[in-house]
Amino acid sequence: MKIRPLADRVLVKQAAAETKTAGGLYIPETAQEKTQQAEVVAVGPGTEKEKITVKVGEKVLYDKYSGTAIKIDGEDYLILKSSDIIAVVE
């Protein structure tokens, strides 16, 4: 299945959550926090008011409770508004 975001939307694939602490302890799946880091998979064309400033392949940080979660071919993705993206990780 192929998804093409519309307007100022961005499709991202969430990064995997940390499974081990800095001290070496394993974190059970039920206690893992969702990361707010993701890789851009597809971008919409933007609007006159809201230009798209990220590119496919970039790693981004986004607001914690933003986006719409979807599942494509068994993998989890988020559709975000471009304004919900707060930074690009370089």
Side-chain angles (χ1 to χ4, degrees):
M1 181 185 315
K2 195 169 188 176
I3 301 289
R4 183 177 49 94
L6 300 176
D8 65 336
R9 304 286 196 245
V10 178
L11 179 69
V12 297
K13 181 174 171 68
Q14 290 180 288
E18 292 292 323
T19 58
K20 197 162 81 169
T21 65
L25 298 174
Y26 286 96
I27 304 169
E29 194 170 313
T30 56
Q32 293 174 3
E33 283 191 32
K34 286 189 175 183
T35 180
Q36 284 104 13
Q37 184 172 340
E39 182 177 345
V40 177
V41 176
V43 296
T47 64
E48 288 183 24
K49 290 183 179 181
E50 189 74 38
K51 305 293 183 205
I52 301 293
T53 57
V54 295
K55 299 177 190 103
V56 173
E58 287 185 318
K59 296 203 182 311
V60 296
L61 298 175
Y62 58 90
D63 289 330
K64 188 170 189 168
Y65 299 106
S66 60
T68 302
I70 61 171
K71 193 169 268 214
I72 304 170
D73 298 330
E75 295 198 44
D76 294 324
Y77 294 87
L78 275 177
I79 297 178
L80 301 170
K81 283 185 166 186
S82 65
S83 60
D84 290 334
I85 296 174
I86 55 177
V88 174
V89 179
E90 296 181 347

